[in-house]
Structure formats: C-alpha cells, structure tokens
Amino acid sequence: MEPVMAVAVGLLYAAAIFLMLRRSIVKLVIGLMLLSNAANLLIFTTAGMTRGAPPLIPEGLAAPLGPVADPLPQAVVLTAIVIAFGVLAFAVVLIRRAYEIVKADDLDKMKETDT
C-alpha cells in the first residue's frame, strides 16, 4: 500500500507545482491546497499505513494490548488541515478583493498595478 501512496503523493506534488506556476491567481491557490494535501498524505504515509486499535491502555496494565495506531501523525495532520482551511479562506477573500480592484486574475496584470 505504501508504494501506491508514494505515487499518489508524487502526483499531487507535481500537480500542485504545475498549478502554482500558472499565471492565474485562482490556479495558484488551488495549487497551494493540493500542496497542503500532498504534505498531509506524505505525513500519513511515512508514519506507516498500519491499522491498529486506539492507543488506550486498559486499567491495571502497563502497556496496550496488541498493535495500536500512532496518534501523533493524526494530530499533526488534523492541525495542518485546520491551518490550511484558514489560509484558503484568507486567500479567497484576498483574491476576491484583488479581482474587484484589477478586474483580472492574471498575475502579470496585477503586477502592472504596483506603484
């Protein structure tokens, strides 16, 4: 399963970089979101794709019974998803305001408005 996930991560990174190099600011933001999702998937893949029980220790025991899931990558990815959503919301508002002023989503046309 890990080789398939590695290929998926590579394809997501490639698509993100391709979109980020386009002239449209909307494609830039979509590329940033793909990049964020690729990074999250990479964290999950490198942490190991093993199924396990919740990391809870039964009362009276010193260690959990059987294999358990690692909660750290899940917590990191959950935090990254929340941060990425905040960045996306800010970028959408910023794009809308820039489009109202410049009347274009082309980054080269937006650059010409600089003083």
Side-chain angles (χ1 to χ4, degrees):
M1 187 69 179
E2 278 88 5
V4 174
M5 296 303 287
V7 170
V9 168
L11 289 174
L12 279 174
Y13 273 119
I17 291 172
F18 176 78
L19 286 173
M20 289 171 58
L21 293 175
R22 303 291 96 198
R23 291 171 47 169
S24 171
I25 194 164
V26 175
K27 291 178 183 175
L28 174 77
V29 171
I30 293 171
L32 284 173
M33 292 312 299
L34 280 178
L35 190 72
S36 171
N37 289 334
N40 292 341
L41 196 58
L42 179 67
I43 292 171
F44 267 140
T45 304
T46 56
M49 301 290 289
T50 59
R51 291 181 182 248
L56 302 173
I57 300 174
E59 190 172 331
L61 295 177
L65 301 172
V68 295
D70 187 10
L72 184 61
Q74 296 174 15
V76 169
V77 168
L78 183 61
T79 304
I81 289 170
V82 171
I83 292 170
F85 180 74
V87 169
L88 175 66
F90 177 73
V92 167
V93 171
L94 192 62
I95 288 170
R96 182 171 182 260
R97 183 68 179 142
Y99 184 78
E100 287 176 359
I101 294 171
V102 180
K103 302 289 187 222
D105 77 338
D106 189 359
L107 290 172
D108 289 337
K109 290 181 183 175
M110 288 184 178
K111 190 176 181 182
E112 294 170 0
T113 62
D114 291 342
T115 56

